[in-house]
């Protein structure tokens, strides 16, 4: 009765409202427009693509909202493909995830997920006929979950997190989510505290398991490959102490740039590599103007002409994880704007990691701060003091770095635990 009520409410009120908002947003946002356009032939394309795969193999469906969540799915998919003869379908909600992953070699099918109407969900599942469905992190579409349950397809929510303050726990909304979460076969959380928060929805205890976070596995895998890339010539960084500021926004740069400028006056062997989160021409020029007449800068793409510049400005994307290999100390951006970016990408190299105060979105940042390997800085003066101390005290720097890599290694293994749960439904 409760399930019937909630799905009537969702389909009569929520779905039409969401669709209308999406269409309106598409008038002003090119990314939304691309997503709408990309879904126009989703079924026709799926039917064509599905005809080319080996139908005798079972199909495992992985869904991610966008590129970030898909990174967390990759270690599961890649190990699965090594160990089992199965087809893998990957779907995305966002255009950025879909467009940047169309050539992912470990997928047999790649598609947008259709808009979540009851008929769309039914049609989609009949076409792909999954043996198991795996949803990454939080992108849960109610009609799709219901259709999977009705077709008796085991469905997992993986790398799941739940804050005690989540809006999903508000009185009226909580009842809806209690019903929705009950349709999952298993909810596999990143921590015990997350598991307890899910159990607060009145779920069966055996349905919820804390298995860890695949981001640790993914970042560790990528770090091993990154060390072999040699993006920066040895002579550029020889005998230098390197500060890497990654995924920075203007709010981050307003704090860390004056701190580094002051540090550079006292320590002539320090250099900074700054990788803006959005390396637009306007942003790159702003950074250059910030240091004009004070410290020599050079863009990463011009490093063949390097002449003792002390600030390297990264004018490309997709190389940050590799750049952290050169760091003695790192700063992770977003932490003065809204939400800190991925601190594990720096911590995996065994270095101290600095970030601003806005880290509520990141359990890893909070834990690194508790352990002492992560340092929260709140203003220019404090940032300078921390940098001066770390760059002048090699023993302290290495101690904090050891804590960083130990933290990462202690949290490896979520992939194997998740696959163990999935494999029990492949027999």
């Amino acid at each position: 009765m409760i399930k019937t009520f909630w799905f009537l409410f969702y389909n009569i009120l929520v779905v039409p409202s969401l669709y209308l908002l999406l269409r309106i947003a598409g008038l002003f946002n090119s990314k939304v427009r691309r997503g709408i356009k990309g879904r126009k032939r989703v079924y026709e394309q799926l039917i064509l693509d599905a005809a080319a795969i080996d139908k005798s193999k079972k199909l495992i469906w992985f869904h991610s909202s966008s590129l970030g969540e898909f990174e967390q799915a990759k270690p599961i998919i890649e190990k699965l493909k090594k160990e089992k003869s199965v087809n893998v379908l990957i779907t995305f909600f966002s255009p950025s995830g879909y467009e940047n992953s169309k050539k992912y070699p470990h997928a047999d099918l790649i598609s947008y997920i259709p808009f979540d109407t009851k008929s769309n969900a039914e049609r989609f599942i009949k076409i792909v006929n999954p043996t198991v469905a795996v949803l990454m992190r939080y992108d849960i579409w109610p009609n799709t979950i219901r259709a999977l349950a009705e077709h008796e397809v085991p469905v997992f929510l993986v790398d799941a997190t739940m804050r005690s303050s989540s809006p999903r726990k508000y009185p009226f909304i909580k009842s809806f989510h209690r019903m929705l979460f009950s349709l999952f076969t298993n909810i596999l959380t990143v921590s015990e505290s997350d598991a307890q928060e899910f159990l607060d929805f009145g779920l069966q205890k055996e349905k919820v398991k804390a298995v860890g976070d695949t981001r640790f596995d993914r970042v560790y895998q990528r770090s091993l490959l990154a060390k072999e890339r040699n993006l920066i010539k040895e002579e550029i960084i020889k005998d230098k102490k390197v500060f890497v500021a990654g995924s920075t926004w203007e709010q981050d740069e307003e704090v860390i740039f004056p701190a580094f400028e002051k540090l550079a006056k006292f320590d002539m062997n320090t250099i900074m590599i700054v990788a803006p989160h959005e390396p637009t021409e306007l942003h790159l020029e702003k950074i250059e103007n910030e240091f004009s007449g004070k410290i020599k800068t050079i863009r990463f793409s011009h490093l063949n002409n390097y002449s003792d510049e002390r600030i390297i400005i990264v004018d490309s994307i997709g190389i940050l994880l590799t750049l952290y290999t050169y760091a003695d100390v790192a700063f992770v951006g977003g932490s003065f704007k809204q939400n800190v970016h991925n601190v594990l990408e720096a911590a995996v190299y065994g270095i101290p990691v600095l970030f601003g105060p806005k880290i509520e979105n990141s359990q890893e940042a909070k834990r690194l701060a508790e352990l002492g390997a992560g340092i929260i800085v709140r203003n220019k003066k404090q940032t300078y003091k921390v940098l001066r101390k770390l760059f002048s005290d090699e023993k302290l720097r290495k101690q904090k770095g050891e804590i960083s890599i130990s933290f990462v290694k202690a949290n490896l293994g979520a992939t194997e635990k998740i696959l163990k749960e999935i494999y029990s439904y492949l027999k």
Side-chain angles (χ1 to χ4, degrees):
M1 184 67 182
I2 291 176
K3 186 166 82 169
T4 302
F5 164 76
W6 276 120
F7 274 103
L8 280 171
F9 177 85
Y10 177 72
N11 285 306
I12 292 170
L13 293 177
V14 178
V15 170
S17 300
L18 284 175
Y19 185 73
L20 181 61
L21 286 171
L22 200 65
R23 299 297 299 195
I24 293 170
L27 298 174
F28 307 98
N29 188 301
S30 61
K31 185 177 176 180
V32 175
R33 278 199 304 277
R34 294 201 312 273
I36 294 170
K37 186 179 178 182
R39 284 172 167 80
K40 283 185 177 177
R41 295 187 69 253
V42 67
Y43 300 112
E44 292 89 338
Q45 192 60 51
L46 262 177
I47 291 167
L48 286 172
D49 293 343
I53 65 173
D54 185 350
K55 292 290 198 309
S56 67
K57 295 180 181 179
K58 294 177 179 178
L59 183 139
I60 316 301
W61 172 24
F62 288 85
H63 174 68
S64 306
S65 174
S66 60
L67 204 56
E69 290 73 35
F70 183 49
E71 280 297 314
Q72 294 173 252
K74 283 181 178 178
I76 310 170
I77 294 166
E78 289 166 23
K79 191 169 178 60
L80 170 67
K81 291 289 279 186
K82 278 184 184 177
E83 296 178 349
K84 300 287 182 181
S85 180
V86 294
N87 291 319
V88 167
L89 162 68
I90 294 167
T91 61
F92 295 94
F93 177 74
S94 82
S96 61
Y98 175 75
E99 291 166 2
N100 287 290
S101 305
K102 285 191 286 188
K103 294 184 180 179
Y104 180 62
H106 302 284
D108 300 281
L109 299 168
I110 299 176
S111 173
Y112 279 105
I113 192 170
F115 191 72
D116 193 49
T117 66
K118 190 174 186 297
S119 59
N120 279 352
E122 282 288 339
R123 187 179 180 189
F124 184 81
I125 289 163
K126 283 179 181 176
I127 291 170
V128 301
N129 190 29
T131 303
V132 174
V134 180
L135 309 188
M136 299 304 301
R137 208 157 178 84
Y138 61 80
D139 204 44
I140 301 168
W141 295 102
N143 281 318
T144 301
I145 302 303
R146 184 186 193 182
L148 287 166
E150 289 176 349
H151 284 267
E152 298 183 343
V153 177
V155 55
F156 293 83
L157 183 61
V158 167
D159 279 357
T161 61
M162 179 65 65
R163 298 193 310 272
S164 58
S165 59
S166 171
R168 288 177 287 187
K169 293 201 166 191
Y170 294 171
F172 184 65
I173 302 171
K174 186 173 182 178
S175 173
F176 172 74
H177 282 92
R178 180 185 294 117
M179 176 278 299
L180 189 58
F181 291 142
S182 71
L183 298 176
F184 281 86
T185 307
N186 281 120
I187 295 173
L188 306 178
T189 69
V190 304
S191 71
E192 288 291 349
S193 62
D194 290 301
Q196 290 303 314
E197 295 298 341
F198 272 101
L199 289 172
D200 186 45
F201 286 90
L203 304 176
Q204 296 170 348
K205 201 164 186 178
E206 59 271 19
K207 189 185 286 283
V208 182
K209 298 179 183 179
V211 299
D213 192 336
T214 58
R215 279 185 299 175
F216 288 90
D217 298 333
R218 180 61 179 165
V219 83
Y220 188 71
Q221 280 177 356
R222 291 178 65 202
S223 73
L224 298 178
L225 297 172
K227 289 174 183 177
E228 302 170 1
R229 290 185 67 183
N230 299 320
L231 289 180
I232 298 177
K233 292 177 182 177
E234 174 64 28
E235 54 264 32
I236 292 176
I237 57 170
K238 188 179 180 182
D239 301 323
K240 303 279 178 58
K241 289 175 276 187
V242 181
F243 175 49
V244 174
S247 286
T248 59
W249 297 85
E250 289 186 19
Q251 294 91 329
D252 303 306
E253 293 158 5
E254 287 168 2
V255 176
I256 59 170
F257 285 179
F260 180 78
E261 186 181 331
K262 191 173 180 182
L263 175 73
K265 292 176 183 176
F266 291 97
D267 192 336
M268 298 304 294
N269 289 321
T270 56
I271 65 171
M272 177 170 71
I273 301 172
V274 55
H277 187 73
E278 294 182 345
T280 62
E281 185 61 30
L282 190 65
H283 194 169
L284 297 172
E285 288 178 1
K286 187 176 186 298
I287 295 172
E288 288 167 336
N289 292 335
E290 180 77 26
F291 293 105
S292 180
K294 304 172 187 174
I295 306 176
K296 286 172 67 181
T297 67
I298 187 171
R299 295 195 185 189
F300 181 83
S301 60
H302 298 163
L303 276 184
N304 285 337
N305 301 317
Y306 181 76
S307 179
D308 293 323
E309 288 86 0
R310 298 188 62 190
I311 296 175
I312 298 170
I313 304 169
V314 180
D315 51 356
S316 59
I317 59 173
I319 60 171
L320 179 57
L321 185 75
T322 303
L323 293 175
Y324 282 130
T325 64
Y326 302 104
D328 294 288
V329 178
F331 172 88
V332 179
S335 46
F336 279 99
K337 184 178 188 287
Q338 185 175 5
N339 289 316
V340 69
H341 294 293
N342 192 346
V343 297
L344 296 179
E345 290 185 342
V348 72
Y349 295 110
I351 54 175
V353 184
L354 279 61
F355 31 77
K358 296 182 180 180
I359 61 170
E360 280 305 305
N361 65 304
S362 173
Q363 294 185 32
E364 301 80 46
K366 288 189 279 188
R367 186 61 183 144
L368 279 170
E370 289 168 4
L371 293 169
I375 303 167
I376 300 172
V377 290
R378 301 182 186 279
N379 52 53
K380 303 172 199 176
K381 186 176 181 181
Q382 185 190 9
T383 303
Y384 164 70
K385 285 183 176 179
V386 170
L387 288 176
R388 184 84 191 271
K389 180 66 175 172
L390 289 172
F391 280 111
S392 62
D393 190 336
E394 186 177 359
K395 184 179 178 182
L396 176 67
R397 197 167 69 240
K398 288 186 175 179
Q399 283 175 347
K400 290 184 177 296
E402 282 296 323
I403 297 170
S404 284
I405 187 59
S406 296
F407 169 66
V408 174
K409 287 183 174 179
N411 285 280
L412 297 176
T415 299
E416 286 80 2
K417 293 174 184 175
I418 291 164
L419 284 173
K420 184 180 177 182
E421 299 293 330
I422 293 171
Y423 287 168
S424 65
Y425 290 91
L426 295 183
K427 293 175 183 176

